[in-house]
Amino acid sequence: MEILVNLDVMMAKRKISSGELAERIGITPANLSILKTNKAKAIRFSTLAALCRELQCQPGDLLEFKDDQDDQ
Amino acid sequence: MKGAETVNWTKDKSILLSQICTAIFALLLAALDIGCYWAVHWFIRLRNMNWQKGIAFMVTIYLCSVFAWLLLYGLWKLLGNMKSGRVFVEENVRRLRTVSWCCVGAAVICFASCVYYLPFLFVSVAAAFMALIVRIVKNVFQQANAMKSELDFTV
């Protein structure tokens, strides 16, 4: 049971690079990489809001709930 | 700004003081290791004990000394890590666990030594109590380490 961050999909749709997005939302490229690779343990509402604003999408477009039982 | 500098100064000095105390205890332990024979000789003459007990005393002291050296080394490395700003890391949890087990080891040896000298029971209880305290501190460090790792991965 986990939450997946589909950031790379939305970034590809909006044709925006990691460095540019990190600069626009005010986080480090290293932290953006943590988000993209699904290593993050939590995301602040302010970061999520900034991502939605820059990528012009809804939180649901970025986050996806995956139940492990579905895989079994 | 001045307040922050004062706090920092105090923290560094406090760690330095702990390191000095650790070094003093290491010197005392080295002195005990070197002068164990004479100290035991003096003690058994004072208490009119036989030399078999003297040998048993030396065995207890040297066995406890091994744990004491491991404990002091662990504390020294722990303080070094704290000085360099690495406080809530897995290595420190491991060091504290080692320190705790060293106390348990010394407690067991002292408890066994009660067979020939009952006052060792007090040392054994003190060492076991110290092991408990260090273990609780280790649990705190473990929890803090988990919280820090979660905070590090909060974006």
Side-chain angles (χ1 to χ4, degrees):
Chain A
M1 201 167 70
E2 58 179 341
I3 298 289
L4 298 177
V5 183
N6 294 319
L7 195 57
D8 42 0
V9 177
M10 196 52 71
M11 282 169 64
K13 276 183 187 172
R14 300 290 181 253
K15 294 187 175 76
I16 187 168
S17 69
S18 295
E20 193 183 343
L21 182 62
E23 198 181 325
R24 279 195 199 176
I25 62 173
I27 64 170
T28 62
N31 275 346
L32 190 69
S33 173
I34 288 171
L35 263 181
K36 274 178 72 180
T37 51
N38 282 304
K39 285 179 185 165
K41 292 193 175 177
I43 181 166
R44 291 189 188 90
F45 278 156
S46 56
T47 309
L48 188 60
L51 281 171
C52 290
R53 186 189 67 230
E54 292 303 325
L55 296 172
Q56 293 168 345
C57 62
Q58 291 299 313
D61 299 326
L62 295 174
L63 304 176
E64 181 192 341
F65 172 70
K66 193 183 177 192
D67 199 344
D68 289 343
Q69 286 176 339
D70 292 346
D71 299 336
Q72 291 169 359
Chain B
M1 190 66 191
K2 197 179 172 185
E5 278 172 7
T6 310
V7 169
N8 209 13
W9 184 85
T10 311
K11 185 194 130 207
D12 287 347
K13 288 283 176 187
S14 177
I15 291 173
L16 184 67
L17 179 67
S18 301
Q19 280 184 321
I20 290 168
C21 289
T22 309
I24 289 170
F25 270 104
L27 283 173
L28 287 172
L29 186 62
L32 179 69
D33 283 347
I34 294 164
C36 181
Y37 173 80
W38 295 284
V40 169
H41 197 261
W42 167 78
F43 189 73
I44 58 169
R45 269 179 46 183
L46 188 76
R47 294 292 176 98
N48 289 321
M49 293 172 176
N50 56 26
W51 188 234
Q52 275 88 3
K53 272 198 176 180
I55 291 169
F57 268 112
M58 284 177 72
V59 169
T60 301
I61 290 169
Y62 279 122
L63 282 176
C64 285
S65 174
V66 172
F67 288 112
W69 279 117
L70 286 172
L71 185 150
L72 287 172
Y73 177 74
L75 286 180
W76 184 263
K77 296 296 273 184
L78 181 75
L79 289 168
N81 282 345
M82 284 181 170
K83 202 171 188 177
S84 58
R86 296 186 304 123
V87 183
F88 299 119
V89 291
E90 190 55 41
E91 189 194 338
N92 287 353
V93 174
R94 212 171 53 245
R95 298 245 177 247
L96 281 170
R97 189 182 292 122
T98 307
V99 168
S100 173
W101 279 111
C102 284
C103 291
V104 171
V108 169
I109 290 166
C110 288
F111 188 74
S113 303
C114 290
V115 173
Y116 67 88
Y117 190 64
L118 195 62
F120 268 123
L121 185 66
F122 296 111
V123 184
S124 175
V125 170
F129 189 64
M130 186 57 74
L132 174 69
I133 292 170
V134 176
R135 189 160 184 82
I136 290 167
V137 172
K138 189 266 298 179
N139 288 341
V140 171
F141 266 66
Q142 208 163 20
Q143 190 66 32
N145 184 33
M147 286 166 75
K148 184 184 171 287
S149 111
E150 192 161 311
L151 195 67
D152 285 346
F153 284 96
T154 298
V155 183

